[in-house]
Amino acid sequence: GQEEILGIADAPDTCALQEAGAVLAAGGTVAFPTETVYGLGADARSTAAVEQIFAAKGRPSDNPLIVHIADPAQLQELVTGVNDTERRLMAQFWPGPLTLVLPVKPGAVSPRVTAGLDTVAVRMPDHPAALALIRASGCPLAAPSANRSGRPSPTLAAHVLEDLSGAIDGVLDGGPAGVGVESTVVQAAPDGAVTVLRPGGITEEQLAGIAASVRRDPALAHAGGTDSPAPRSPGMKYTHYAPQGALCVVTGRTAAAVSARIQAELDAARTRGEKTGVLSFDEHIGFYRADVAVSLGSLAAPEEAARRLYAGLRQFDEAGAAFLLAETCPEEGLGAAVMNRLLKAAGHHIIDADA
Ligand code: TXA
Ligand code: MG
């Protein structure tokens, strides 16, 4: 494909949207902004269209896709039923960064979308351009994050082009994505028990306001080795969001111990001739000497850290940093999603500063 940048600064430009909608209706691929990250969309009902997503991303075929809808009525065409808990979650959080795994209606979407599972993941994005594009296309849109598989997810149209230029049919530019990390993926039982398969834009604290109980899929706590339990969200087993350098997360009982250990490791790496990077927060960033120092904002503002995380990881790649260390943030609110992505980016490699 010879992709076009269909610019829409803030308000969705009707002309660009109609054009992008027509490309999707004809079986093409268009990247578009959502409130979480940019997605790469295609008609979820068409296997030929969906195969272009897998090809462009280099995505493993056993990793199913999220289907994006703009209207509650579209759900009836996709799933066999919705239980009470699911209904309440949708009423509270749609449109928004919550994805529900629901029983798929046979034949409703391409089997490439569900990767052969009997469920389909569905969400209604909270972004005017995304909603307008879904309506303009007339399709339920399968849309994974619009990055090359294994790269940090795109939070700007420029990130999409960095990864997918030449491999897709168009990009709708809507400026920076809002939340910065992907949607929360959940499965909900009729009795109100909610299982988080992937932490994301809707926090566990928010879910607890609706659910009788909230638990994390036990597979989330593991590094994804052969001894780990199989995750219910197949995508969680892949090393996603990996920067090109080797990344480790540094933990410890005190911030001073963590900072001292990080600087010692950075100094040692520099002595070995490696280009170094550190991912930190405003409270500590001034402490470090590294080739690339990225702050995710204040430790007290996890929403800011979520917004900055993926662009920050891309900065290390741009600078060619080979040895990367990251601090942790509290796993409260969006901090849980930030730490989940950071640990995945590090392949769960952790240095304990107290050891
Ligand atoms: O915020 C988001 O969700 C973004 C934007 C573009 O909407 N999309 C996104 O899609 O993150 P993707 O493909 O990068 O991640 C989809 C996740 C994967 O972890 C996948 O395994 C899981 O959802 N998933 C999809 N279908 C599933 C299913 N039927 N059962 C369990 N997990 C499923
Ligand atoms: Mg992704």
Side-chain angles (χ1 to χ4, degrees), residues 16-340:
L17 278 167
Q18 290 314 318
E19 197 183 335
V23 169
L24 290 166
T29 54
V30 174
F32 61 96
T34 81
E35 83 283 29
T36 57
V37 300
Y38 275 72
L40 178 61
D43 182 353
R45 301 165 304 190
S46 161
T47 295
V50 169
E51 271 171 358
Q52 294 176 57
I53 292 179
F54 284 92
K57 284 181 59 81
R59 182 178 175 107
S61 60
D62 65 343
N63 192 3
L65 306 178
I66 295 173
V67 176
H68 296 63
I69 61 172
D71 206 303
Q74 278 182 291
L75 197 58
Q76 287 159 32
E77 292 157 32
L78 298 174
V79 306
T80 55
V82 171
N83 68 38
D84 278 348
T85 314
E86 291 157 348
R87 210 179 309 281
R88 283 187 294 127
L89 289 170
M90 288 175 205
Q92 182 72 25
F93 298 116
W94 279 9
L98 182 72
T99 295
L100 292 160
V101 173
L102 301 164
V104 68
K105 200 177 254 186
V109 294
S110 163
R112 302 282 272 136
V113 169
T114 54
L117 300 171
D118 55 9
T119 52
V120 62
V122 186
R123 87 177 192 97
M124 189 186 293
D126 187 15
H127 193 291
L131 293 169
L133 180 64
I134 296 165
R135 292 194 179 111
S137 72
C139 322
L141 289 185
S145 49
N147 51 293
R148 278 287 300 174
S149 224
R151 290 267 289 151
S153 294
T155 52
L156 292 172
H159 296 158
V160 176
L161 291 174
E162 257 169 49
D163 282 16
L164 300 179
S165 184
I168 59 178
D169 297 317
V171 186
L172 269 184
D173 186 349
V179 178
V181 295
E182 297 87 342
S183 63
T184 303
V185 181
V186 300
Q187 229 163 3
D191 66 0
V194 169
T195 305
V196 174
L197 309 189
R198 178 179 74 177
I202 296 294
T203 65
E204 286 176 29
E205 293 88 335
Q206 285 174 292
L207 291 171
I210 298 287
S213 66
V214 182
R215 67 187 272 272
R216 289 188 196 182
D217 183 354
L220 286 178
H222 292 76
T226 45
D227 55 341
S228 306
R232 280 207 258 165
S233 175
M236 296 309 286
K237 72 172 179 282
Y238 295 104
T239 307
H240 273 172
Y241 329 113
Q244 280 145 32
L247 172 68
C248 266
V249 172
V250 183
T251 61
R253 265 191 305 266
T254 66
V258 168
S259 290
R261 180 63 178 269
I262 288 179
Q263 191 57 54
E265 299 280 350
L266 290 173
D267 289 342
R270 275 178 137 180
T271 306
R272 295 193 299 269
E274 292 174 43
K275 195 159 192 182
T276 58
V278 63
L279 192 73
S280 175
F281 293 86
D282 287 354
E283 287 83 347
H284 308 141
I285 190 83
F287 183 85
Y288 297 115
R289 294 175 310 280
D291 295 305
V292 188
V294 174
S295 174
L296 297 183
S298 168
L299 276 167
E303 325 74 51
E304 184 67 26
R307 260 197 300 278
R308 293 196 200 180
L309 177 66
Y310 287 137
L313 291 174
R314 280 176 185 261
Q315 261 181 268
F316 294 124
D317 286 353
E318 280 154 29
F323 183 86
L324 310 174
L325 295 176
E327 293 182 348
T328 61
C329 67
E331 290 197 36
E332 278 147 34
L334 279 181
V338 170
M339 282 313 302
N340 170 266

